[in-house]
Amino acid sequence: MSHGFVSVEGLGKSFPSPGKEDDLIVFNDVNISIDKGEFVCIIGHSGCGKSTILNVLAGLDQPSEGGVIMDGKEVSGPSLDRGVVFQNYSLMPWLTALQNVTFGVKARYPKWSKAEVEAHSLKYLEMVGLKDTCKRKPSQLSGGMRQRVSIARAFATQPKLLLLDEPFGALDALTRGIIQDELIKIWGESQQTVFMITHDVDEAILLADRVLLMTNGPEAKVAESVTINLPRPRTRAEIIEHPGYYKIRNHLVNFLVERSNRKEEFSGLSGQPLVVDPTLEVDAQPEVNSIEINTNTTNTNEPSLSLKSVNV
Ligand code: ADP
Ligand code: MG
């Protein structure tokens, strides 16, 4: 396989199953390559191992098989080169929003003066609309505001890789939309490499350059890599008007609803192109079916799907 900026190679995770001779294999032979500056989302049903993969990428969990190489070095533990945003905000409750951000920035840039650290941190809090409330403690902020602090903190430390584990999962749809817009803006400015778990198909299409689809566990696999070739900058309002939007959306939803459990379809990964739609341009690789959906043609039989997110 090609070695990208981040290279996940032959990753597997298993646990001993009580009373059984064989281990429970959560996932195996997971191969992912991420380019510098790429925004990759991963989608799959609950329990297939997404958070475990993200934690291995972060250096917080150990795989049973395989490993991760980032920027030419094997990932063997946590590092300031990798920033993580979890679903539950994980702010330090005794510090203000600003102090939560400066804490990480100070660790990252120990030679900076206090004023430099503060100005840099405030810039990121401003990007997420929290400059005026930066003196508040987490208990004085709403859930959405706390998650914005987490995002500002993660971006402010300018890690080489940003790992987001369903960062908006606990937010209401309106707040989520606002923070998604902020994330697009901040990512557009920073060109960070991002690996994000989401259960929201629309969110993945809005944000990602590529969406990885995982089959259900046990023995889950990354079965497909779907390129989201919709033009940027993207906005939630405009993206749904694009003729290719529903083609991509239908493909992802179809995978999650119909195909994620059909293991035989992906077993062996023989490299045979997987054609599920005649308009799909398929570029099969040995490890994973890489798919680019032709979004240039107008979709005449566009289904009247509701815009409600498909949650899995
Ligand atoms: P996801 O994020 O896709 O929902 P996780 O990575 O959190 O999935 O978990 C993957 C699977 O690993 C789950 O099915 C979970 O039950 C299993 N698992 C996690 N920790 C353990 C453990 N200590 N022992 C046995 N199974 C575990
Ligand atoms: Mg998870």
Side-chain angles (χ1 to χ4, degrees), residues 97-122:
L98 178 60
Q99 287 166 336
N100 264 283
V101 180
T102 56
F103 185 85
V105 174
K106 259 189 268 177
R108 178 82 174 164
Y109 305 106
K111 295 203 174 113
W112 285 11
S113 70
K114 196 168 178 254
E116 279 173 309
V117 167
E118 206 157 296
H120 180 84
S121 305
L122 275 172

Side-chain angles (χ1 to χ4, degrees), residues 168-207:
F168 313 132
L171 303 177
D172 64 90
L174 258 177
T175 311
R176 187 194 297 201
I178 293 166
I179 304 184
Q180 282 168 350
D181 288 343
E182 280 161 0
L183 182 63
I184 293 179
K185 200 176 77 191
I186 198 168
W187 176 77
E189 286 172 24
S190 67
Q191 291 298 307
Q192 275 284 340
T193 311
V194 181
F195 180 84
M196 171 169 164
I197 300 173
T198 177
H199 58 261
D200 182 335
V201 167
D202 297 294
E203 179 169 280
I205 302 173
L206 177 66
L207 298 172

Side-chain angles (χ1 to χ4, degrees), residues 14-286:
S14 32
F15 294 101
S17 25
K20 290 199 185 134
E21 209 173 291
D22 294 330
D23 286 352
L24 166 77
I25 299 169
V26 178
F27 57 83
N28 60 9
D29 202 24
V30 166
N31 298 286
I32 302 168
S33 178
I34 305 173
D35 288 335
K36 204 167 174 57
E38 209 182 2
F39 197 126
V40 173
C41 278
I42 188 162
I43 302 191
H45 288 268
S46 200
C48 68
K50 304 177 295 297
S51 294
T52 308
I53 293 172
L54 184 136
N55 288 335
V56 171
L57 279 163
L60 299 169
D61 198 353
Q62 294 291 321
S64 314
E65 307 275 340
V68 177
I69 294 167
M70 187 181 92
D71 209 8
K73 277 185 254 137
E74 181 147 18
V75 171
S76 55
S79 154
L80 287 168
D81 284 342
R82 291 178 291 277
V84 192
V85 178
F86 295 107
Q87 187 171 352
N88 54 2
Y89 322 128
S90 58
L91 295 178
M92 289 168 273
W94 63 93
L95 299 180
T96 65
L98 178 60
Q99 287 166 336
N100 264 283
V101 180
T102 56
F103 185 85
V105 174
K106 259 189 268 177
R108 178 82 174 164
Y109 305 106
K111 295 203 174 113
W112 285 11
S113 70
K114 196 168 178 254
E116 279 173 309
V117 167
E118 206 157 296
H120 180 84
S121 305
L122 275 172
K123 191 176 93 187
Y124 284 87
L125 281 165
E126 190 170 16
M127 278 190 210
V128 297
L130 288 182
K131 200 177 177 195
D132 296 339
T133 36
C134 68
K135 296 277 158 66
R136 290 203 208 158
K137 298 221 168 124
S139 61
Q140 298 164 311
L141 299 169
S142 69
M145 289 161 115
R146 273 182 249 167
Q147 196 58 319
R148 284 144 97 166
V149 178
S150 298
I151 290 165
R153 178 176 63 177
F155 273 92
T157 56
Q158 300 177 308
K160 290 182 181 168
L161 175 65
L162 202 56
L163 300 160
L164 311 175
D165 191 348
E166 302 201 35
F168 313 132
L171 303 177
D172 64 90
L174 258 177
T175 311
R176 187 194 297 201
I178 293 166
I179 304 184
Q180 282 168 350
D181 288 343
E182 280 161 0
L183 182 63
I184 293 179
K185 200 176 77 191
I186 198 168
W187 176 77
E189 286 172 24
S190 67
Q191 291 298 307
Q192 275 284 340
T193 311
V194 181
F195 180 84
M196 171 169 164
I197 300 173
T198 177
H199 58 261
D200 182 335
V201 167
D202 297 294
E203 179 169 280
I205 302 173
L206 177 66
L207 298 172
D209 294 313
R210 214 145 48 84
V211 177
L212 306 177
L213 294 170
M214 273 190 91
T215 59
N216 298 345
E219 297 190 46
K221 296 206 163 27
V222 174
E224 286 186 21
S225 161
V226 180
T227 300
I228 310 298
N229 49 6
L230 300 175
R232 291 186 189 269
R234 300 178 193 153
T235 64
R236 277 174 298 144
E238 281 167 12
I239 198 173
I240 53 173
E241 305 288 341
H242 193 282
Y245 181 80
Y246 283 101
K247 279 189 186 173
I248 294 174
R249 191 179 194 279
N250 289 348
H251 184 81
L252 302 183
V253 172
N254 174 268
F255 179 91
L256 293 166
V257 176
E258 303 276 344
R259 294 165 51 230
S260 56
N261 213 16
R262 280 192 242 147
K263 291 194 191 309
E264 68 282 2
E265 195 175 340
F266 309 106
S267 64
L269 295 170
S270 61
Q272 288 302 307
L274 172 74
V275 182
V276 290
D277 177 326
T279 63
L280 294 181
E281 289 171 9
V282 178
D283 168 25
Q285 294 175 351

